[in-house]
Amino acid sequence: MTGTIIAIGAAVAVLTGVGAGVGIGIATGKAVDAVARQPEAEGKISKNLILGCALAEATAIYGFIIGLLIIFFLK
Amino acid sequence: MNCKTVFTIPVFGGIAVDEGVVVTWIIMMVLALLSILFVRNLKVENPGKVQLALESVIEWGENFFKDIIGEENKRYIPWLMTVALYLACANLIGLFGFKPPTKDLNITAGLAIMSMLLIEYSGIHKNGVKHWCGHFAKPVPLVAPIMILEIFIRPLSLCMRLFGNMLGGFVVMELVEQVVPLFVPIPLSFYFDIFDGLLQAYVFVFLTGLFMNEEME
């Protein structure tokens, strides 16, 4: 029974991935828009895009780590 | 998935040496040997092909980091380049059958603590202790607790980002290899091992440089 509850807890923690997915999607869409408007600035745009994606991804990573911690330490 | 202890040093009641540390030693040895090998016989007059390639790579790296932390702070560039090189090797070593050492939280935490010390040191070195103490109350004194917390949050997020990405990639690859051991892991390995590893190495040094830049203003 506790195993099921722990699994549900880990699943809720991993829901943080939703935010990162939406954020990276919006950022990529805007970057594509920017490249279409100004193709010559592609280098700078993709550099900033990668940085922003890495920062946005951090929330998903925190959720993943919390999920792992729940599974490993709540037995 | 957990880090195994390879051997124990029999002093002070036994110091356990983890797998990640041994792999780090291997990377250190390879990098040191390569540096000694490449730096031998450097010439000013008609340089060889190896020297020209090496010079262009180092110059590219220096320009890359100069863009981040600025021309006047180039004394920190060798450290940033060393960390980038180590992280790139550490994240790609999974391809050679080792476990990547960045999958161990202790190693990323060590790197992040070094980054934290360097970030604060660079600010103190550039602007002096008085300015460093004063900058916590910069816009309004009300934000001082948050600014002090930021000292610890920045390395925490650096460490967790690197660790979580590498461990996540590792877990996903292991799961895929258990379900379909043939062909399917190859394109995934390109993403999780090569692209993600290099991207995280880049992001780690990029953010360290960015924070140093912020601190040195």
Side-chain angles (χ1 to χ4, degrees):
Chain A
M1 189 58 201
T2 47
T4 320
I5 294 172
I6 289 171
I8 292 172
V12 171
V14 171
L15 278 184
T16 48
V18 174
V22 172
I24 294 173
I26 292 173
T28 311
K30 298 268 185 197
V32 170
D33 217 21
V35 173
R37 277 165 201 259
Q38 261 184 326
E40 67 270 20
E42 198 192 339
K44 275 186 186 170
I45 291 168
S46 50
K47 203 167 129 188
N48 284 326
L49 173 67
I50 286 175
L51 179 68
C53 285
L55 289 175
E57 205 186 34
T59 55
I61 294 295
Y62 296 155
F64 167 69
I65 287 172
I66 296 296
L68 275 185
L69 291 180
I70 287 173
I71 290 172
F72 281 130
F73 291 109
L74 275 189
K75 267 180 189 157
Chain B
M1 197 150 78
N2 289 317
C3 298
K4 284 194 220 75
T5 305
V6 179
F7 61 92
T8 317
I9 301 174
V11 282
F12 307 124
I15 303 170
V17 176
D18 281 348
E19 208 171 5
V21 178
V22 176
V23 179
T24 300
W25 287 344
I26 295 172
I27 295 170
M28 275 161 60
M29 212 168 64
V30 169
L31 284 182
L33 275 180
L34 283 182
S35 340
I36 293 169
L37 214 68
F38 282 143
V39 172
R40 272 189 335 173
N41 305 327
L42 291 187
K43 297 192 270 303
V44 178
E45 301 285 327
N46 53 42
K49 272 180 195 159
V50 178
Q51 186 182 347
L52 284 176
L54 197 66
E55 274 175 5
S56 67
V57 168
I58 296 290
E59 200 172 328
W60 176 79
E62 262 183 3
N63 285 334
F64 173 79
F65 285 114
K66 255 180 214 165
D67 283 349
I68 301 172
I69 62 172
E71 175 76 46
E72 68 276 9
N73 304 318
K74 64 179 179 189
R75 59 200 293 266
Y76 301 112
I77 288 178
W79 190 83
L80 290 172
M81 275 172 82
T82 311
V83 172
L85 213 57
Y86 165 69
L87 281 178
C89 289
N91 293 346
L92 291 185
I93 209 166
L95 296 175
F96 300 106
F98 294 101
K99 274 191 187 172
T102 37
K103 199 175 66 53
D104 187 350
L105 184 56
N106 299 321
I107 283 173
T108 56
L111 284 167
I113 289 170
M114 288 193 327
S115 280
M116 174 178 89
L117 294 179
L118 191 74
I119 289 166
E120 302 308 325
Y121 169 78
S122 68
I124 295 173
H125 180 90
K126 182 87 182 274
N127 297 325
V129 179
K130 213 171 140 197
H131 182 275
W132 182 76
C133 292
H135 94 283
F136 289 116
K138 218 36 187 296
V140 272
L142 198 67
V143 298
I146 299 171
M147 294 291 276
I148 291 170
L149 263 185
E150 205 177 31
I151 297 178
F152 304 102
I153 289 174
R154 286 195 295 215
L156 184 73
S157 104
L158 277 179
C159 145
M160 284 301 176
R161 179 178 300 117
L162 187 57
F163 164 71
N165 266 296
M166 295 324 290
L167 185 65
F170 185 78
V171 169
V172 170
M173 283 308 294
E174 289 288 303
L175 288 178
V176 168
E177 274 164 20
Q178 273 178 12
V179 178
V180 209
L182 271 183
F183 302 122
V184 179
I186 297 170
L188 287 175
S189 170
F190 272 113
Y191 179 77
F192 283 114
D193 287 339
I194 299 177
F195 176 71
D196 206 30
L198 291 178
L199 183 66
Q200 291 310 318
Y202 165 75
V203 165
F204 189 94
V205 284
F206 188 92
L207 284 178
T208 307
L210 215 65
F211 292 148
M212 278 164 67
N213 208 10
E214 205 175 281
E215 204 67 28
M216 282 187 287
E217 266 171 6

